[in-house]
Amino acid sequence: MLLPLPVPRAARRTVSVLAFDGMAPFELGCVVEIFGIPRPELDASWYELAVCAETRDDLRVVGGFSMRAEHGLDVLAAADTVIVPGVPDVRGGVSPAVTAALRAAHDRGARVVSICSGAFALAAAGLLDGREATTHWKYAGLLQERFPRVRVNPDVLYVDGDDVLTSAGSAAGLDLLLHLVRKDHGPGVANTVARRLVIPPHREGGQAQFVQAAVAPVEDDDAVAAAMAWALDHLAGPIAVADLARVAHMSQRTFIRHFSRQTGTSPLRWVISQRVAASLALLESTAAPVEEIAAAVGFDSPVTFRHHFTRAMRTSPSAYRRAFRPSA
């Protein structure tokens, strides 16, 4: 049988997602929402999505309904981006036909992605051997136990290994899917899609997966949100915790507690992540020197900017710019 020719890495237009009997609808729905809905309002060549399954029979879905996928594993393996939104049983085996399709896709240059327990399928296919990966925090220990060659990180939203990407559970899948859109089309398009979904446009992959404390009362959330909005309007200048606490009308200690409870990170880490995010559009769309961009988004020196940018994006500002502006 002739295999499809490798697709250039820049052309990530076809996306396939694996459906299976007993699946939860949320993760599949996230994939359909991001990649399956036409977006003619965007100045971008949008994706073509195929929902695939190992069988053409009806598939039972959690919640009391069923669905049928139009495509088989051959289409799954032929896509530019292949997404596994989960597995039927984290303690059971993965179908050899599925693992073979995942390996075939990866071998021909496809980008292979998992959401939540889908990491077990990628691990069973050998695609996570020697790599850092994540899954839902409640499955992390089991993933490490069953696949000791995987470096499981239970504390992040997602891990971008370029050709293989994994995310934590549920809503973290949305973060990873938007991250893919950002990589393919830039932050402007990703932010527009996020606004359509009424979700935050960018959360760093290294952000904590979950918050153990109860959700703060509404009035506290509003105060923290006001401080965050103020910070976004003042990224170019110095921002201290004291400034944010003052806007929120809280003591610094109280503000830090409520902020961490609401966001899962510290105020200063959040500010740094927003400064890095703000720099992306400038790197992509302008020829401004890195020194000017660092100052424009509030870093006190280019050295500090490069350090935080590289830590967040796993590449340097200059290398990131070259990906979007090859002549830069």
Side-chain angles (χ1 to χ4, degrees):
M1 181 180 67
L2 294 178
L3 293 176
L5 292 175
V7 177
R9 296 181 64 76
R12 298 292 196 182
R13 292 198 61 238
T14 58
V15 178
S16 62
V17 59
L18 179 67
F20 53 87
D21 191 57
M23 72 183 306
F26 179 80
E27 288 80 4
L28 176 64
C30 290
V31 176
V32 173
E33 183 72 29
I34 297 290
F35 299 112
I37 296 179
R39 301 190 183 276
E41 72 277 12
L42 298 178
D43 184 20
S45 180
W46 207 240
Y47 304 91
E48 298 174 5
L49 176 67
V51 179
C52 307
E54 189 175 358
T55 175
R56 298 298 176 87
D57 296 334
D58 287 347
L59 303 172
R60 294 168 297 175
V61 181
V62 173
F65 63 98
S66 63
M67 60 165 286
R68 181 178 298 178
E70 293 186 1
H71 305 285
L73 296 183
D74 55 336
V75 175
L76 181 82
D80 305 326
T81 299
V82 178
I83 303 175
V84 183
V87 293
D89 181 4
V90 293
R91 298 185 181 277
V94 179
S95 162
V98 169
T99 56
L102 295 177
R103 283 193 293 267
H106 184 259
D107 288 347
R108 58 176 290 275
R111 181 170 57 183
V112 184
V113 181
S114 69
I115 301 173
C116 195
S117 65
F120 285 80
L122 272 59
L127 301 185
L128 300 182
D129 287 356
R131 293 176 180 263
E132 181 183 359
T134 194
T135 184
H136 194 293
W137 57 267
K138 72 177 182 179
Y139 300 140
L142 181 61
L143 181 64
Q144 188 68 82
E145 177 185 331
R146 291 193 58 196
F147 302 98
R149 297 184 65 183
V150 181
R151 302 198 311 273
V152 179
N153 185 343
D155 300 320
V156 296
L157 292 176
Y158 56 84
V159 174
D160 182 350
D162 191 30
D163 57 331
V164 178
L165 302 91
T166 55
S167 86
S170 300
L174 275 174
D175 292 300
L176 178 54
L177 300 181
L178 280 175
H179 174 69
L180 296 177
V181 174
R182 177 181 289 274
K183 292 183 67 170
D184 293 345
H185 297 288
V189 170
N191 291 349
T192 299
V193 174
R195 284 195 295 271
R196 298 287 191 275
L197 299 175
V198 198
I199 59 176
H202 180 63
R203 289 200 296 172
E204 284 187 52
Q207 186 169 321
Q209 277 197 32
F210 66 102
V211 184
Q212 292 190 12
V215 175
V218 171
E219 60 269 19
D220 293 332
D221 285 351
D222 287 346
V224 170
M228 295 169 79
W230 177 88
L232 293 176
D233 289 336
H234 295 82
L235 282 179
I239 299 175
V241 174
D243 300 319
L244 298 171
R246 184 176 62 254
V247 173
H249 303 291
M250 298 179 184
S251 69
Q252 292 188 47
R253 180 175 297 179
T254 300
F255 177 78
I256 291 171
R257 184 172 68 252
H258 287 301
F259 190 98
S260 299
R261 188 164 62 184
Q262 181 176 334
T263 67
T265 189
S266 71
L268 291 184
R269 285 182 179 175
W270 178 84
V271 169
I272 289 170
S273 72
Q274 297 309 303
R275 285 177 166 155
V276 169
S279 74
L280 299 181
L282 298 176
L283 289 167
E284 293 172 15
S285 61
T286 76
V290 169
E291 293 76 10
E292 290 185 12
I293 292 176
V297 297
F299 287 105
D300 57 8
S301 74
V303 173
T304 304
F305 172 50
R306 289 188 179 96
H307 168 76
H308 288 297
F309 189 97
T310 301
R311 186 173 182 179
M313 303 301 295
R314 301 192 179 189
T315 189
S316 69
S318 298
Y320 181 88
R321 165 174 273 166
R322 284 194 297 271
F324 291 88
R325 298 167 57 88
S327 60

